[in-house]
Every structure is written in C-alpha cells, then in structure tokens.
C-alpha cells in the first residue's frame, strides 16, 4: 500500500486523468489555430506565454504512465528535494509529492506562470493531503527558479514551455546532486536541450523513455 494507490489520492488522480482525457485542445474548434501552428509554438522562445495563456483552462497533464514513472523514479532515488517546471493542475505534482511522502518527507518546488492554474493545483494538492510538501511559485520560471533553491536537487521534472528547457536546466544545474534524475516531457520539441543532455561531455547520461519522455542522469 502506498500514498499513490490509496485514498484520497488514488480516486482523485483517476478523476483528474479522466477529465484531462476529455478536455483536449485537439477536438475543440476554439483552439484550431493553435493546433494548426502547434509545432512552431511548442518550439518558440517568444510566444510561449500567449500560447499557454490561451490554454489556461486545460489540464495539459502528463500521461498516466509518465505519472507512475515519476513516482517510481522519486521513490527509487529516495528523493528528498524535487523541482518541477510547469505545474498546470498539479497531476504530476501529486505523483511527485506522493513519492516524497512515502520517502519520509521532503520539499517539492513547483512553478507555474498562470495564476488560475495554481489555484486549481493548490486545491488538488490539498484534496490529496499533500500540500504540506509543496512550495508553489507563481510567475515565469526564468525568474522564480533563479534564487532560493535547495543546496541539493535529487530530481527535476521539465514540463513547461519546451523551448525553455535548456535555460531552466542551466538555472538548476549547479544544484543537481550526482546521480540526480531529470525527466523532460515532450523533449522532442527542445532539440537544444536534447543535444546537451545526450552528450556525456556535458555531464549527463540520457535516453528516450517511451514516446514522450527523455530521462537523463547527472553524472558524478
């Protein structure tokens, strides 16, 4: 029995995933222009605020499989400090916080620029009984993750604006513990990021994991 597989978290996650599956921008005519220009917008370093702002009412959640992977990685790493870029409604945050709870406690810093999403995420973390483990930061991550970071970071989830992955990694890199894990969702939209983490010369070992995730380890 784990926090992830028992109440109140398990039924909450089932409800949130079901809602995320129903509310996809691909089937909504209101987002037809964004869908048509999806690839360019996902790679843009200048249009991400407007792009994600348009989708502020959508969950944009990780998959069930990625959520389980996050929990498993954080448990097996015995992570005590985690940083998440891109909170959205907090589905991935719930998985990571559950791992911290089952590891005996810790600190999860998560950052989101859309205020209304943070309201939803905070409510979900409270409903899951995990809010005490999470520090929510509102604003652009290029600012919110520039200071007041843990001395040692055990695990990172990158799931915000894909074009910013290299910049966010650079902010966190000095604090990454040897063996720290970095999970980057939809990293195919961040070729500069992939070039960095796939080069052992830059201090990483990295492999694609499934269709959506790049899993990297900081070498000691």
């Amino acid at each position: 029995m784990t926090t992830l597989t028992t109440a109140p978290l398990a039924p909450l996650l089932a409800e949130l995933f079901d809602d995320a599956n129903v509310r996809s921008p691909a089937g909504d005519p209101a987002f037809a222009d964004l869908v048509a220009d999806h690839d360019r917008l996902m790679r843009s370093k200048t249009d991400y605020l407007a792009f994600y702002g348009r989708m502020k009412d959508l969950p944009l959640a990780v998959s069930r499989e990625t959520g389980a992977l996050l929990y498993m990685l954080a448990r097996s790493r015995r992570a005590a400090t985690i940083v998440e870029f891109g909170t959205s409604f907090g589905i991935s945050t719930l998985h990571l916080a559950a791992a911290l709870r089952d590891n005996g406690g810790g600190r999860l810093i998560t950052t989101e620029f859309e205020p209304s999403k943070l309201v939803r995420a905070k409510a979900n973390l409270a409903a899951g009984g995990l809010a005490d483990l999470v520090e929510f930061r509102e604003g652009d991550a290029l600012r919110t993750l520039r200071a007041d970071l843990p001395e040692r970071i055990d695990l990172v989830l990158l799931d915000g604006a894909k074009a910013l992955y290299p910049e966010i990694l650079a902010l966190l890199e000095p604090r990454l513990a040897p063996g720290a894990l970095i999970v980057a969702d939809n990293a195919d939209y961040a070729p500069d990021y992939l070039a960095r983490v796939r080069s052992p010369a830059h201090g990483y070992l990295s492999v694609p994991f499934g269709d959506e995730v790049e899993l990297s380890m900081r070498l000691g």
Side-chain angles (χ1 to χ4, degrees), residues 4-185:
L4 188 66
T5 57
T6 55
L9 185 55
L12 173 63
L13 283 172
E15 179 183 339
L16 291 173
F17 275 125
D18 287 345
D19 180 61
N21 287 339
V22 170
R23 300 169 62 197
S24 168
D28 191 332
F31 299 105
D33 59 322
L34 296 185
V35 172
D37 205 17
H38 179 265
D39 284 1
R40 183 190 68 80
L41 291 169
M42 289 284 277
R43 291 180 169 87
S44 174
K45 292 182 181 291
T46 57
D47 297 331
Y48 64 91
L49 289 174
F51 176 57
Y52 286 102
R54 283 276 303 278
M55 295 187 288
K56 65 181 182 179
D57 296 321
L58 299 178
L60 302 180
V62 297
S63 67
R64 284 180 168 87
E65 294 77 14
T66 299
L69 175 67
L70 291 169
Y71 175 85
M72 293 165 64
L73 291 174
R75 287 300 311 277
S76 61
R77 181 72 176 83
R78 297 201 61 80
T81 52
I82 300 174
V83 175
E84 176 183 43
F85 166 47
T87 315
S88 193
F89 289 178
I91 291 179
S92 52
T93 321
L94 287 164
H95 286 84
L96 293 168
L100 287 180
R101 176 75 78 218
D102 293 340
N103 283 347
R107 179 187 184 194
L108 167 56
I109 297 171
T110 184
T111 183
E112 170 64 47
F113 81 88
E114 178 51 55
S116 63
K117 284 200 163 185
L118 273 184
V119 171
R120 296 283 294 270
K122 289 178 180 179
N124 287 333
L125 268 292
L130 297 167
D132 59 300
L133 296 165
V134 182
E135 177 187 338
F136 297 91
R137 297 187 181 183
E138 180 182 329
D140 193 319
L142 294 175
R143 176 182 58 81
T144 62
L145 295 180
R146 190 167 292 279
D148 191 23
L149 294 172
E151 288 298 319
R152 173 189 175 101
I153 299 172
D154 299 313
L155 190 147
V156 173
L157 172 60
L158 301 176
D159 195 22
K162 315 311 171 189
L164 299 187
Y165 283 5
E167 286 84 351
I168 299 301
L169 180 64
L171 291 177
L172 303 178
E173 200 168 60
R175 305 298 181 93
L176 294 178
L181 299 174
I182 306 98
V183 180
D185 202 30

Side-chain angles (χ1 to χ4, degrees), residues 186-207:
N186 306 121
D188 286 349
Y189 293 107
D192 292 345
Y193 170 83
L194 290 178
R196 181 168 186 81
V197 296
R198 288 179 178 177
S199 170
H202 290 139
Y204 295 93
L205 185 64
S206 190
V207 293

